Amino acid sequence: MQSTLSELEQEVIDVFVRMAGVLNLQRSVGELYGLLFISPEPLCINDCMNKLNISKGSTSQGLKILRSFGAVKPVYIPGDRRDFFEAESALRKIVTGFVNEQVRPHLENGKERMARLESLAAASSDEQEFFLERIKRLRSWQKHANLLLPFALNFIKSD
Amino acid sequence: MQSTLSELEQEVIDVFVRMAGVLNLQRSVGELYGLLFISPEPLCINDCMNKLNISKGSTSQGLKILRSFGAVKPVYIPGDRRDFFEAESALRKIVTGFVNEQVRPHLENGKERMARLESLAAASSDEQEFFLERIKRLRSWQKHANLLLPFALNFIKSD
DNA sequence: CAAATCGTTCAAAAAATAATGAACAAACCG
DNA sequence: CGGTTTGTTCATTATTTTTTGAACGATTTG
Protein backbone atom coordinates (compact mmCIF):
# COMPACT_ATOMS: atom_id res chain seq x y z
CA MET A 1 0.00 0.00 0.00
CA GLN A 2 3.10 2.15 0.30
CA SER A 3 3.36 4.41 -2.74
CA THR A 4 6.35 6.41 -3.85
CA LEU A 5 6.79 10.03 -4.89
CA SER A 6 8.18 11.07 -8.25
CA GLU A 7 11.09 13.43 -8.28
CA LEU A 8 8.83 16.23 -9.47
CA GLU A 9 6.41 15.57 -6.63
CA GLN A 10 9.24 15.56 -4.11
CA GLU A 11 10.58 18.88 -5.32
CA VAL A 12 7.20 20.59 -5.39
CA ILE A 13 6.34 19.28 -1.96
CA ASP A 14 9.66 20.56 -0.71
CA VAL A 15 8.76 24.04 -1.92
CA PHE A 16 5.52 24.00 0.05
CA VAL A 17 7.08 22.52 3.14
CA ARG A 18 9.40 25.53 3.23
CA MET A 19 6.48 27.86 2.78
CA ALA A 20 4.67 26.14 5.62
CA GLY A 21 7.66 26.83 7.82
CA VAL A 22 7.56 30.54 7.07
CA LEU A 23 3.79 30.66 7.62
CA ASN A 24 3.84 28.82 10.92
CA LEU A 25 2.03 25.78 9.61
CA GLN A 26 3.14 22.28 10.39
CA ARG A 27 5.22 20.35 7.92
CA SER A 28 2.48 17.84 7.16
CA VAL A 29 0.18 20.66 6.05
CA GLY A 30 2.79 21.83 3.58
CA GLU A 31 3.29 18.29 2.33
CA LEU A 32 -0.42 17.81 1.80
CA TYR A 33 -0.88 21.02 -0.11
CA GLY A 34 2.16 20.34 -2.27
CA LEU A 35 0.97 16.86 -3.11
CA LEU A 36 -2.49 18.07 -4.10
CA PHE A 37 -1.08 21.03 -5.99
CA ILE A 38 0.93 18.80 -8.29
CA SER A 39 -1.66 16.06 -8.55
CA PRO A 40 -3.66 15.98 -11.80
CA GLU A 41 -6.44 14.06 -10.06
CA PRO A 42 -8.23 14.76 -6.81
CA LEU A 43 -6.97 12.57 -3.97
CA CYS A 44 -8.67 10.99 -0.98
CA ILE A 45 -7.28 10.73 2.52
CA ASN A 46 -5.91 7.29 1.88
CA ASP A 47 -4.11 8.39 -1.26
CA CYS A 48 -2.52 11.23 0.70
CA MET A 49 -1.36 9.20 3.67
CA ASN A 50 0.06 6.49 1.46
CA LYS A 51 1.86 8.85 -0.86
CA LEU A 52 3.29 10.99 1.92
CA ASN A 53 3.76 8.19 4.37
CA ILE A 54 2.15 10.05 7.23
CA SER A 55 -0.51 8.90 9.66
CA LYS A 56 -4.23 8.98 9.11
CA GLY A 57 -4.62 11.42 12.00
CA SER A 58 -2.14 13.88 10.56
CA THR A 59 -3.74 13.62 7.17
CA SER A 60 -7.24 14.22 8.45
CA GLN A 61 -6.10 17.08 10.63
CA GLY A 62 -3.93 18.63 7.95
CA LEU A 63 -6.68 18.60 5.35
CA LYS A 64 -9.02 20.13 7.90
CA ILE A 65 -6.66 23.05 8.35
CA LEU A 66 -6.21 23.48 4.61
CA ARG A 67 -9.96 23.45 4.14
CA SER A 68 -10.41 25.96 6.95
CA PHE A 69 -8.77 28.66 4.90
CA GLY A 70 -9.80 27.45 1.51
CA ALA A 71 -6.45 26.16 0.26
CA VAL A 72 -8.04 22.85 -0.57
CA LYS A 73 -11.53 22.08 -1.80
CA PRO A 74 -13.63 18.95 -1.69
CA VAL A 75 -14.47 17.34 -5.00
CA TYR A 76 -17.49 15.14 -5.41
CA ILE A 77 -16.80 11.93 -7.25
CA PRO A 78 -19.95 10.02 -8.22
CA GLY A 79 -20.20 6.51 -6.93
CA ASP A 80 -17.35 6.85 -4.49
CA ARG A 81 -18.12 7.50 -0.91
CA ARG A 82 -14.67 8.67 0.01
CA ASP A 83 -13.93 12.40 0.26
CA PHE A 84 -11.70 13.69 -2.49
CA PHE A 85 -9.78 16.94 -2.49
CA GLU A 86 -7.97 19.16 -4.89
CA ALA A 87 -5.75 22.19 -4.35
CA GLU A 88 -7.29 25.61 -4.70
CA SER A 89 -5.00 27.37 -7.12
CA ALA A 90 -6.35 30.92 -6.97
CA LEU A 91 -3.68 32.69 -4.96
CA ARG A 92 -6.02 35.45 -3.94
CA LYS A 93 -8.50 33.08 -2.33
CA ILE A 94 -5.81 31.26 -0.44
CA VAL A 95 -4.15 34.39 0.87
CA THR A 96 -7.45 35.94 1.85
CA GLY A 97 -8.52 32.82 3.67
CA PHE A 98 -5.18 32.48 5.36
CA VAL A 99 -5.13 36.05 6.59
CA ASN A 100 -8.69 35.89 7.84
CA GLU A 101 -8.48 32.50 9.53
CA GLN A 102 -4.90 32.16 10.64
CA VAL A 103 -3.50 35.66 11.08
CA ARG A 104 -6.28 38.00 12.16
CA PRO A 105 -7.44 35.89 15.12
CA HIS A 106 -3.95 36.11 16.60
CA LEU A 107 -3.91 39.87 16.38
CA GLU A 108 -7.30 40.30 18.01
CA ASN A 109 -5.96 42.91 20.39
CA GLY A 110 -8.09 45.64 19.11
CA LYS A 111 -9.52 48.58 20.86
CA GLU A 112 -10.08 47.39 24.42
CA ARG A 113 -6.46 46.35 24.77
CA MET A 114 -5.19 49.66 23.48
CA ALA A 115 -7.54 51.57 25.70
CA ARG A 116 -6.27 49.62 28.69
CA LEU A 117 -2.67 50.34 27.75
CA GLU A 118 -3.42 53.99 27.43
CA SER A 119 -5.09 54.24 30.79
CA LEU A 120 -2.19 52.41 32.43
CA ALA A 121 0.23 54.84 30.80
CA ALA A 122 -1.84 57.81 31.87
CA ALA A 123 -1.98 56.49 35.43
CA SER A 124 1.80 56.39 35.78
CA SER A 125 3.25 59.24 37.75
CA ASP A 126 6.74 59.24 36.36
CA GLU A 127 7.69 59.22 32.71
CA GLN A 128 4.07 59.58 31.79
CA GLU A 129 4.93 61.54 28.70
CA PHE A 130 7.26 58.88 27.36
CA PHE A 131 4.79 56.09 28.03
CA LEU A 132 1.97 57.90 26.30
CA GLU A 133 4.16 58.51 23.27
CA ARG A 134 4.93 54.79 23.08
CA ILE A 135 1.32 53.75 23.29
CA LYS A 136 0.51 56.25 20.61
CA ARG A 137 3.15 54.67 18.44
CA LEU A 138 1.76 51.23 19.07
CA ARG A 139 -1.62 52.50 17.96
CA SER A 140 -0.06 53.89 14.81
CA TRP A 141 1.52 50.51 14.04
CA GLN A 142 -1.76 48.80 14.52
CA LYS A 143 -3.36 51.19 12.09
CA HIS A 144 -0.66 50.56 9.54
CA ALA A 145 -1.21 46.83 9.78
CA ASN A 146 -4.94 47.18 9.45
CA LEU A 147 -4.53 49.28 6.34
CA LEU A 148 -1.86 47.15 4.78
CA LEU A 149 -3.64 43.82 4.96
CA PRO A 150 -6.61 44.63 2.71
CA PHE A 151 -4.30 46.58 0.49
CA ALA A 152 -2.00 43.61 0.05
CA LEU A 153 -4.94 41.35 -0.69
CA ASN A 154 -6.09 43.74 -3.35
CA PHE A 155 -2.63 43.71 -4.81
CA ILE A 156 -3.14 40.14 -5.93
CA LYS A 157 -5.23 40.76 -8.98
CA SER A 158 -5.03 37.69 -11.16
CA ASP A 159 -5.47 34.19 -9.81
CA MET B 1 18.51 41.10 42.27
CA GLN B 2 15.09 39.98 41.13
CA SER B 3 13.14 42.93 39.78
CA THR B 4 9.45 43.14 39.09
CA LEU B 5 7.45 44.35 36.11
CA SER B 6 4.87 47.10 36.32
CA GLU B 7 1.43 46.37 35.03
CA LEU B 8 2.06 48.57 32.02
CA GLU B 9 5.26 46.72 31.25
CA GLN B 10 3.51 43.39 31.56
CA GLU B 11 0.78 44.39 29.16
CA VAL B 12 3.12 45.84 26.57
CA ILE B 13 5.38 42.81 26.74
CA ASP B 14 2.35 40.60 26.28
CA VAL B 15 1.53 42.43 23.05
CA PHE B 16 4.99 41.74 21.68
CA VAL B 17 5.05 38.16 22.84
CA ARG B 18 1.94 37.58 20.74
CA MET B 19 3.54 39.29 17.78
CA ALA B 20 6.60 37.12 18.20
CA GLY B 21 4.37 34.08 17.96
CA VAL B 22 2.89 35.23 14.67
CA LEU B 23 6.33 36.07 13.29
CA ASN B 24 7.94 32.79 14.27
CA LEU B 25 10.24 34.31 16.84
CA GLN B 26 10.78 32.82 20.24
CA ARG B 27 8.90 34.14 23.21
CA SER B 28 11.99 35.56 24.88
CA VAL B 29 12.69 37.70 21.81
CA GLY B 30 9.23 39.19 22.07
CA GLU B 31 9.69 39.80 25.78
CA LEU B 32 12.99 41.55 25.23
CA TYR B 33 11.68 43.83 22.54
CA GLY B 34 8.60 44.67 24.57
CA LEU B 35 10.66 45.52 27.62
CA LEU B 36 13.00 47.79 25.66
CA PHE B 37 10.12 49.36 23.78
CA ILE B 38 8.48 50.56 26.97
CA SER B 39 11.68 51.42 28.77
CA PRO B 40 12.51 55.14 28.97
CA GLU B 41 16.18 54.28 29.52
CA PRO B 42 18.47 51.97 27.58
CA LEU B 43 18.99 48.65 29.36
CA CYS B 44 21.93 46.28 29.63
CA ILE B 45 21.84 42.51 29.53
CA ASN B 46 21.68 42.27 33.27
CA ASP B 47 18.75 44.66 33.50
CA CYS B 48 16.89 42.59 30.93
CA MET B 49 17.49 39.20 32.49
CA ASN B 50 16.55 40.47 35.91
CA LYS B 51 13.43 42.25 34.79
CA LEU B 52 12.20 39.40 32.63
CA ASN B 53 13.52 36.64 34.83
CA ILE B 54 15.11 34.75 31.99
CA SER B 55 18.60 33.30 31.70
CA LYS B 56 21.69 35.14 30.61
CA GLY B 57 21.98 32.86 27.59
CA SER B 58 18.48 33.61 26.38
CA THR B 59 19.04 37.29 26.90
CA SER B 60 22.29 37.41 25.00
CA GLN B 61 20.89 35.26 22.20
CA GLY B 62 17.63 37.15 22.01
CA LEU B 63 19.29 40.55 21.80
CA LYS B 64 21.57 39.17 19.10
CA ILE B 65 18.56 38.24 17.01
CA LEU B 66 16.91 41.60 17.60
CA ARG B 67 20.10 43.36 16.59
CA SER B 68 20.40 41.18 13.50
CA PHE B 69 17.37 42.80 11.95
CA GLY B 70 17.73 46.18 13.52
CA ALA B 71 14.87 46.00 16.01
CA VAL B 72 17.22 46.99 18.78
CA LYS B 73 20.21 49.27 18.69
CA PRO B 74 23.24 49.59 20.92
CA VAL B 75 23.60 52.78 22.90
CA TYR B 76 26.94 53.97 24.11
CA ILE B 77 27.00 55.10 27.69
CA PRO B 78 30.19 56.91 28.69
CA GLY B 79 32.07 55.41 31.56
CA ASP B 80 30.13 52.15 31.57
CA ARG B 81 31.61 49.14 29.96
CA ARG B 82 28.38 47.22 29.74
CA ASP B 83 26.45 47.13 26.45
CA PHE B 84 23.20 49.05 26.55
CA PHE B 85 20.32 48.72 24.14
CA GLU B 86 17.22 50.57 23.17
CA ALA B 87 14.33 49.60 20.93
CA GLU B 88 14.34 50.85 17.36
CA SER B 89 10.96 52.48 16.98
CA ALA B 90 10.91 53.23 13.26
CA LEU B 91 8.49 50.62 11.97
CA ARG B 92 9.86 50.79 8.49
CA LYS B 93 13.38 49.92 9.56
CA ILE B 94 12.24 47.01 11.64
CA VAL B 95 10.01 45.55 8.96
CA THR B 96 12.66 45.97 6.29
CA GLY B 97 15.26 44.33 8.44
CA PHE B 98 12.93 41.54 9.39
CA VAL B 99 11.96 40.77 5.84
CA ASN B 100 15.54 40.84 4.61
CA GLU B 101 17.07 38.85 7.43
CA GLN B 102 14.37 36.51 8.58
CA VAL B 103 11.99 35.96 5.67
CA ARG B 104 13.93 36.25 2.42
CA PRO B 105 16.60 33.70 3.34
CA HIS B 106 13.90 31.08 3.85
CA LEU B 107 12.44 31.73 0.44
CA GLU B 108 15.77 31.58 -1.38
CA ASN B 109 14.42 29.23 -4.00
CA GLY B 110 14.91 31.51 -6.87
CA LYS B 111 15.69 30.77 -10.41
CA GLU B 112 17.67 27.53 -10.26
CA ARG B 113 14.95 25.79 -8.31
CA MET B 114 12.25 26.87 -10.71
CA ALA B 115 14.34 25.86 -13.69
CA ARG B 116 14.83 22.44 -12.16
CA LEU B 117 11.11 22.07 -11.57
CA GLU B 118 10.36 23.06 -15.09
CA SER B 119 12.78 20.57 -16.57
CA LEU B 120 11.36 17.81 -14.38
CA ALA B 121 7.87 18.69 -15.57
CA ALA B 122 8.98 18.80 -19.16
CA ALA B 123 10.64 15.41 -18.80
CA SER B 124 7.46 13.72 -17.67
CA SER B 125 5.76 11.67 -20.33
CA ASP B 126 2.23 11.66 -18.98
CA GLU B 127 0.31 14.73 -17.87
CA GLN B 128 3.11 16.92 -19.04
CA GLU B 129 0.72 19.68 -19.94
CA PHE B 130 -0.81 19.78 -16.48
CA PHE B 131 2.55 19.77 -14.75
CA LEU B 132 3.88 22.57 -16.89
CA GLU B 133 0.82 24.65 -16.13
CA ARG B 134 1.37 24.15 -12.41
CA ILE B 135 5.01 25.14 -12.56
CA LYS B 136 4.03 28.19 -14.51
CA ARG B 137 1.59 29.08 -11.78
CA LEU B 138 4.22 28.62 -9.13
CA ARG B 139 6.41 31.02 -11.07
CA SER B 140 3.59 33.52 -11.15
CA TRP B 141 3.16 33.28 -7.40
CA GLN B 142 6.82 33.85 -6.88
CA LYS B 143 6.65 36.93 -9.03
CA HIS B 144 3.70 38.24 -7.05
CA ALA B 145 5.58 37.79 -3.80
CA ASN B 146 8.67 39.50 -5.15
CA LEU B 147 6.60 42.46 -6.24
CA LEU B 148 4.53 42.68 -3.11
CA LEU B 149 7.36 42.77 -0.60
CA PRO B 150 9.02 46.02 -1.70
CA PHE B 151 5.62 47.46 -2.31
CA ALA B 152 4.52 46.69 1.22
CA LEU B 153 7.71 48.14 2.63
CA ASN B 154 7.12 51.29 0.69
CA PHE B 155 3.62 51.41 2.07
CA ILE B 156 5.01 52.21 5.48
CA LYS B 157 5.68 55.85 5.00
CA SER B 158 5.93 57.44 8.41
CA ASP B 159 8.01 55.96 11.19
C1' DC C 1 49.02 40.48 37.45
C1' DA C 2 45.21 38.60 40.21
C1' DA C 3 40.45 39.33 40.81
C1' DA C 4 36.27 40.90 39.02
C1' DT C 5 32.99 41.99 35.42
C1' DC C 6 30.88 41.20 30.96
C1' DG C 7 29.11 38.91 27.16
C1' DT C 8 29.01 34.64 24.26
C1' DT C 9 28.64 29.89 23.28
C1' DC C 10 26.96 25.42 23.49
C1' DA C 11 25.82 20.87 25.62
C1' DA C 12 22.18 19.40 28.38
C1' DA C 13 17.50 19.93 30.21
C1' DA C 14 12.94 21.55 29.85
C1' DA C 15 9.05 22.86 27.41
C1' DA C 16 6.23 23.24 23.47
C1' DT C 17 4.64 21.32 19.30
C1' DA C 18 3.46 17.85 15.99
C1' DA C 19 2.60 13.05 14.70
C1' DT C 20 0.78 8.66 15.71
C1' DG C 21 -2.66 5.20 15.92
C1' DA C 22 -6.33 3.03 18.57
C1' DA C 23 -11.05 3.97 19.66
C1' DC C 24 -15.05 5.71 17.99
C1' DA C 25 -19.13 7.27 15.25
C1' DA C 26 -21.37 7.59 10.88
C1' DA C 27 -22.54 5.95 6.50
C1' DC C 28 -22.84 2.24 3.42
C1' DC C 29 -23.52 -2.65 1.77
C1' DG C 30 -25.27 -7.19 1.25
C1' DC D 1 -29.28 -6.33 11.01
C1' DG D 2 -23.79 -7.76 11.15
C1' DG D 3 -19.78 -6.61 8.75
C1' DT D 4 -17.06 -2.97 6.04
C1' DT D 5 -15.33 1.20 4.90
C1' DT D 6 -14.43 5.99 5.91
C1' DG D 7 -13.13 9.95 8.49
C1' DT D 8 -12.47 12.25 13.09
C1' DT D 9 -10.85 12.72 17.70
C1' DC D 10 -7.72 12.67 21.26
C1' DA D 11 -4.54 10.53 24.69
C1' DT D 12 0.04 9.06 24.19
C1' DT D 13 4.53 9.22 21.97
C1' DA D 14 8.04 11.34 19.30
C1' DT D 15 10.23 15.26 17.64
C1' DT D 16 11.58 19.89 17.51
C1' DT D 17 12.36 24.11 19.59
C1' DT D 18 13.63 26.95 23.33
C1' DT D 19 15.78 27.80 27.59
C1' DT D 20 19.16 27.19 30.90
C1' DG D 21 23.51 27.78 33.09
C1' DA D 22 28.28 26.45 33.43
C1' DA D 23 32.50 27.16 30.96
C1' DC D 24 35.09 30.24 28.52
C1' DG D 25 37.62 34.33 26.53
C1' DA D 26 38.01 39.10 26.60
C1' DT D 27 38.33 43.31 28.95
C1' DT D 28 38.80 46.19 32.89
C1' DT D 29 40.16 47.41 37.53
C1' DG D 30 42.86 47.91 41.66
Side-chain angles (χ1 to χ4, degrees), chain A residues 56 60 64 67 81-83:
Chain A
K56 193 151 62 125
S60 173
K64 185 180 181 180
R67 266 177 290 151
R81 90 176 152 102
R82 292 170 295 178
D83 299 342

Side-chain angles (χ1 to χ4, degrees), chain B residues 45 56 60 64 81-83:
Chain B
I45 289 199
K56 192 153 60 125
S60 171
K64 185 180 180 180
R81 91 173 152 107
R82 291 171 294 178
D83 300 342

